[in-house]
Amino acid sequence: MIGSRQSLPIREEDRGQRLDRFLAEHLRLSRSQVRRLLARGAVSVGGRSVNEDAKGMNLQPGPVVEVTSFARPEDQRALPAPDRPLRLLAQGAGWLAVDKPAGTPVHPLQEDESDTVLNAVIARFPEIHGVGEGGLRSGVVHRLDVDTSGVLLFATQESTWQPLRGAFRDHLVEKTYRAIVIGALEGEGSLELPLVTARHRPARVRVAAEAERGTARGVQLGVLRWRSLEVFGGTTLVEVMPKTGFLHQIRVSLAHLGFPVLGDRRYGPATDPIAVPRQMLHAAHARWAEIEASSPDPADFAAALERCSARTRAS
C-alpha cells in the first residue's frame, strides 16, 4: 500500500541535524530505510529533490522536507508470488525452513517487487504477514547474501519470531556452510576478526585495523571456525561454522586468510581457476533447539566440485 505525501518542517530544534537522522526520527525508520528513500528520489528539501549523497546534509530551520509516496514499513505488504518455486526443507510450530536459490534476495525492498523468497513464502503462508518486523520483512529472522544458497529460516508466528530472532542475535544458532575456495587450504582453524562496513551501496566489508577496534564506529568481531574437507590442488572444499553473523563475514574472513571463495568478485580475484556462475558458498545446515534443517548442495555447486575433482584427476 502506497502512503500519502509527508511534509516535515525543519524547526529551530532541528538546526544542524543530519538529514538522514532527521528522517529516521520523524518517520520512525531505520537508517538503511532512509537511505533507500533517498536513493529512489522520494525526498526533497525546500522544494529541491535530493538523493543519497545528501544524507549527511546539515539542516537549517525554515525549509520543509517532503517525502513522496511514503508508507510506514509496518503498513507495507509483500506481494504474494504463487508462481515462484519454493522448496520447503522443514517446518514446525511457528517456523519453516526453505531452500534459498542463489541469485534470489531474501525479501523485497519495495512493495512492487515480487522476485524474492518472501514473495514465494507469503503466497503459501499468508499468516506470516506482520510477524516480527512486519511489512516487507515479515517473518524474516536472518538473511543470506543474494548469491548464497541454502537454509533460510522464517517465523510464521510472533511467539516463535521473538525467541528465534533472539537466538540469532545472541549467536546461539548452529550454522554450517560449505564453500569452495581458491588455493590449497589444509587442516582446520578459527578466526576472530574486527569487521566494519566500508560501503553500503553496494555493500562492502573490510577488516578493521587493530587501532580501530573499540574506537571506530560499527566495528564488530566476526568469529568462525573452519576445516578443510577435500583439497583439489588449486581449490579446496571447506566447511565453515560461523559463530557471529556479520554481513559478508565468511567471504571477508576467507579472503583475509588468503583463500577467497571461488567466484567471489567482490573479495576475490577478477578471474578464477574454474569459471563458476556465482560465489560458491552454500548454507548447508542450521539448528537451534527443536528447529533444524539441512540443504543438499545445489546443482551449480555440485558441478563446480566435479570440475575441481576432474582437474585434479587430469593433472
Side-chain angles (χ1 to χ4, degrees):
M1 177 179 65
I2 301 300
S4 60
R5 187 183 193 92
Q6 299 283 312
S7 296
L8 308 169
I10 305 173
R11 307 186 189 281
E12 181 60 37
E13 57 265 30
D14 301 316
R15 181 186 293 274
Q17 189 173 22
R18 286 172 53 112
L19 175 60
D20 55 356
R21 292 179 181 173
F22 174 86
L23 289 168
E25 177 183 333
H26 287 272
L27 299 177
R28 302 199 303 276
L29 298 175
S30 69
R31 298 283 284 278
S32 62
Q33 290 166 334
V34 167
R35 286 195 299 270
R36 289 195 288 270
L37 276 178
L38 291 167
R40 66 182 175 90
V43 179
S44 64
V45 179
R48 181 173 64 88
S49 179
V50 295
N51 59 25
E52 193 175 359
D53 293 336
K55 63 185 179 184
M57 175 191 297
N58 289 322
L59 301 179
Q60 300 299 318
V64 173
V65 177
E66 293 188 306
V67 184
T68 61
S69 302
F70 172 74
R72 298 195 184 282
E74 61 269 23
D75 295 330
Q76 296 177 319
R77 295 191 70 96
L79 292 172
D83 294 333
R84 287 197 65 84
L86 183 71
R87 183 183 181 193
L88 192 63
L89 297 172
Q91 68 181 118
W95 66 273
L96 56 90
V98 303
D99 205 1
K100 177 190 171 302
T104 303
V106 172
H107 65 85
L109 300 180
Q110 305 295 336
E111 283 188 289
D112 58 357
E113 294 179 44
S114 60
D115 58 350
T116 76
V117 179
L118 181 57
N119 295 113
V121 168
I122 210 165
R124 282 83 166 180
F125 303 89
E127 68 274 17
I128 201 173
H129 178 72
V131 171
E133 296 181 54
L136 303 183
R137 300 186 183 187
S138 292
V140 174
V141 292
H142 72 120
R143 294 166 181 80
L144 298 175
D145 294 342
V146 172
D147 283 334
T148 298
S149 55
V151 179
L152 182 64
L153 299 175
F154 288 88
T156 57
Q157 297 175 9
E158 190 69 24
S159 59
T160 301
W161 188 88
Q162 294 287 350
L164 183 53
R165 183 72 188 98
F168 274 99
R169 183 187 61 245
D170 297 336
H171 315 311
L172 301 176
V173 180
E174 297 176 16
K175 297 166 289 184
T176 302
Y177 288 73
R178 285 162 63 84
I180 305 174
V181 301
I182 300 173
L185 177 59
E186 298 182 334
E188 59 184 77
S190 61
L191 285 174
E192 294 188 6
L193 297 173
L195 304 175
V196 63
T197 302
R199 187 179 64 206
H200 289 282
R201 299 175 64 88
R204 186 176 184 86
V205 173
R206 64 177 174 83
V207 177
E210 283 296 324
E212 294 180 277
R213 187 184 296 194
T215 58
R217 184 176 180 181
V219 176
Q220 295 186 37
L221 192 64
V223 182
L224 59 77
R225 293 183 296 113
W226 62 268
R227 69 184 183 102
S228 175
L229 297 180
E230 189 169 1
V231 178
F232 300 104
T235 56
T236 306
L237 174 62
V238 181
E239 186 176 71
V240 184
M241 292 72 71
K243 178 71 173 176
T244 52
F246 197 85
L247 176 70
H248 296 180
Q249 174 185 327
I250 294 175
R251 297 161 60 193
V252 175
S253 296
L254 290 172
H256 180 78
L257 193 62
F259 299 88
V261 175
L262 182 69
D264 189 347
R265 296 289 175 267
R266 188 156 303 176
Y267 302 107
T271 58
D272 298 314
I274 294 176
V276 290
R278 51 102 176 183
Q279 65 208 26
M280 291 291 105
L281 182 62
H282 177 67
H285 187 78
R287 184 174 75 86
W288 176 71
E290 76 283 358
I291 296 173
E292 186 170 12
S294 296
S295 169
D297 290 344
D300 60 353
F301 195 100
L305 276 179
E306 175 55 34
R307 292 181 63 193
C308 291
S309 179
R311 290 179 82 239
T312 301
R313 294 195 300 268
S315 62

